Amino acid sequence: MALKQPPEKILRSFGLTMGAVLSLVSGASAYKGVYAFLPIPVLLAVVFIAFALAAPLKLEVVHRPWMRFAEALGAFNAKLILGFVYFTIFTPIRVFFLITGKDPLKRKFEPHLETYWEDHVPSGEAPGRYEKQF
């Protein structure tokens, strides 16, 4: 399956963004006094900006692999972040409820009950309660 070429506007934006980020990296390196590899990001920034302004369609050669890399990195980060949230937030809550024996969702089977229905407690008949429901 042939992949569609991204529009010129997207490639121009990609080139300008990469040029800006590489310029910031160059500026930060110069500010910190690290001059060993300074010409590399400066040269890359100039090349990206020049291609973005003059011939953005030529940036597709760099854009396509960059987006594949970004997609793979995003998939990895999603799993990493969701795993971190699960183990740092939900696991301690579950352990707390196991230790205290609480069941806030009332999921325990209780054979002596005829029904699990809970009566609704009306909150009042004032018409103002229908305003700003959220």
Side-chain angles (χ1 to χ4, degrees), residues 18-27 29-30 34-49:
M18 291 295 285
V21 169
L22 288 166
S23 297
L24 287 173
V25 168
S26 304
S29 296
V34 180
Y35 300 108
F37 298 106
L38 188 61
I40 295 171
V42 169
L43 178 67
L44 286 174
V46 169
V47 168
F48 270 110
I49 292 172

Side-chain angles (χ1 to χ4, degrees), residues 1 3 7 11 15-17 40-41 51 54 57 60 73 81-83 88 90 94 97 99 106 120 123-124 127:
M1 179 174 134
L3 296 173
L11 292 172
L16 292 174
T17 302
I40 295 171
F51 272 107
L57 294 177
E60 183 184 8
L73 187 64
I81 291 168
L82 288 174
T88 59
F90 296 118
R94 173 70 175 148
F97 284 135
I99 292 172
K106 298 179 183 168
H120 172 68
S123 59

Side-chain angles (χ1 to χ4, degrees), residues 78-93:
K79 291 178 180 125
L80 184 73
I81 291 168
L82 288 174
F84 178 76
V85 167
Y86 179 80
F87 285 113
T88 59
I89 294 175
F90 296 118
T91 302
I93 291 172

Side-chain angles (χ1 to χ4, degrees), residues 2 4 8 12 15-16 20 23 27 34 36 50 61-62 67 69 76 83 85 105-107 118 126:
K4 287 179 17 179
E8 187 175 344
R12 179 172 283 122
L16 292 174
S23 297
V34 180
V61 175
V62 179
M67 294 311 290
F69 170 71
F76 173 75
V85 167
L105 297 177
K106 298 179 183 168
R107 296 176 300 157
E118 292 184 13

